[in-house]
Amino acid sequence: MIRSASGRQVLLLHPDTAFQERVRSSLPEGFGCWTLPDWQALRETARDASPSTVAIVDPLFGGDDPAAAGELRDFLSRYSWLPVVAVVRAGPDTLDFLRALGRWGVSEVIVEGVEDTPAGIVKAIRFAQGKLLQGLMEEVLPSYLPGRVRRLLFAAAEAVSAGGHSPDLAAILGVTETTVIRRCERLRLPPPRRVLAWMRVLLAARLLEDEGRTSQAVAYACGYATEAGLRRVVQNFLGLGITELRRRGALRTATATFLAEL
């Protein structure tokens, strides 16, 4: 798997070389951009993609009508955790097509000739990043948590998708790293580094729910260099091995331990 130094990547599946160049020239510093030749290459690359990866695709790549979007639908069903930005052409059936893309799980849309500017591309990537973890927070956080706690945890989920380090969390909150530490103390939360580590553990648990996904693939997707790194973290945080965690229900078990620590 090819990786950028920061782990932030764009996987690009689009036939227009001018659009490809526009995407590459629009990306902020620290992003890698890999142009892929077909859907099979996208699937193979997505297996080990980090949580900060975004795919930008032409839904009709390889075909000329909406029926060709079956490749995209299949990809979204198999890699539902990877945010996808669809590039669509404006036309009489665009609205119905956009509704279908939303039902399938597309995170964001770029309409050609309207939003395919450098600013529009960056905006779509930013909004798409973190959709999985943001959705996961909606699913697992109980309603009784105070709003300030929820906001910090949602920011931590976004930070993991943006790079996963304390400076990323501070930047999202618009404060210094020292302020984040103090805020966690006031809210009786673990230190920022541990909160961010928990986000990765919860992401790993979510991915481990898929029996067809190997622990090595989960490790890479969560930003760990090796499978052993994931196993150590899971053991340290949950006191379980990967096999036992899966047997007990990975997400349910991880969520219960996470909420108990909060």
Side-chain angles (χ1 to χ4, degrees):
M1 171 66 187
I2 305 171
R3 299 174 185 274
S4 69
S6 66
R8 292 181 290 179
Q9 303 173 93
V10 169
L11 308 180
L12 184 55
L13 182 65
H14 197 284
D16 187 343
T17 55
F19 179 76
Q20 293 172 12
E21 181 55 36
R22 198 176 312 137
V23 171
R24 283 191 288 268
S25 62
S26 301
L27 294 177
E29 184 178 355
F31 271 83
C33 183
W34 318 113
T35 303
L36 302 170
D38 52 40
W39 289 102
Q40 180 59 30
L42 178 62
R43 287 190 288 268
E44 292 174 356
T45 307
R47 280 200 294 264
D48 296 336
S50 74
S52 55
T53 298
V54 174
I56 299 180
V57 307
D58 175 358
L60 306 183
F61 189 92
D64 298 321
D65 59 68
E71 288 276 17
L72 173 60
R73 189 173 189 175
D74 175 69
F75 179 83
L76 290 165
S77 68
R78 295 175 59 183
Y79 301 96
S80 59
W81 53 273
L82 182 69
V84 171
V85 177
V87 185
V88 302
R89 303 171 185 85
D93 299 324
T94 298
L95 186 57
D96 290 339
F97 191 35
L98 292 177
R99 288 172 177 154
L101 294 177
R103 290 194 301 271
W104 297 350
V106 165
S107 299
E108 294 293 333
V109 170
I110 295 174
V111 179
E112 289 184 356
V114 180
E115 298 162 321
D116 54 350
T117 62
I121 292 168
V122 171
K123 180 180 178 181
I125 292 171
R126 186 177 71 248
F127 284 177
Q129 279 187 315
K131 280 289 182 79
L132 172 64
L133 273 171
Q134 295 282 345
L136 190 57
M137 289 297 99
E138 290 280 8
E139 179 181 345
V140 306
L141 293 182
S143 58
Y144 61 74
L145 284 179
R148 288 178 299 172
V149 172
R150 293 177 66 88
R151 282 193 293 274
L152 194 144
L153 294 176
F154 270 88
E158 184 179 348
V160 166
S161 299
H165 302 291
S166 296
D168 299 306
L169 176 56
I172 289 168
L173 293 171
V175 298
T176 66
E177 291 182 65
T178 301
T179 299
V180 178
I181 293 172
R182 292 172 179 165
R183 190 172 295 181
C184 286
E185 291 173 348
R186 287 198 305 272
L187 297 175
R188 295 186 174 183
L189 289 172
R193 289 182 63 183
R194 186 167 179 85
V195 171
L196 291 169
W198 261 117
M199 293 300 112
R200 289 195 185 89
V201 170
L202 292 171
L203 175 61
R206 164 66 177 79
L207 298 180
L208 286 168
E209 293 282 313
D210 180 0
E211 292 294 335
R213 196 185 305 274
T214 67
S215 54
Q216 183 178 29
V218 171
Y220 289 158
C222 294
Y224 296 102
T226 65
E227 180 183 357
L230 173 64
R231 292 185 179 277
R232 282 195 299 272
V233 170
V234 169
Q235 183 66 47
N236 290 340
F237 277 70
L238 304 177
L240 296 170
I242 297 294
T243 301
E244 179 63 14
L245 177 62
R246 273 181 152 154
R247 190 187 68 80
R248 295 189 184 190
L251 184 58
R252 180 178 67 252
T253 302
T255 297
T257 306
F258 172 62
L259 294 178
E261 182 166 327
L262 294 186

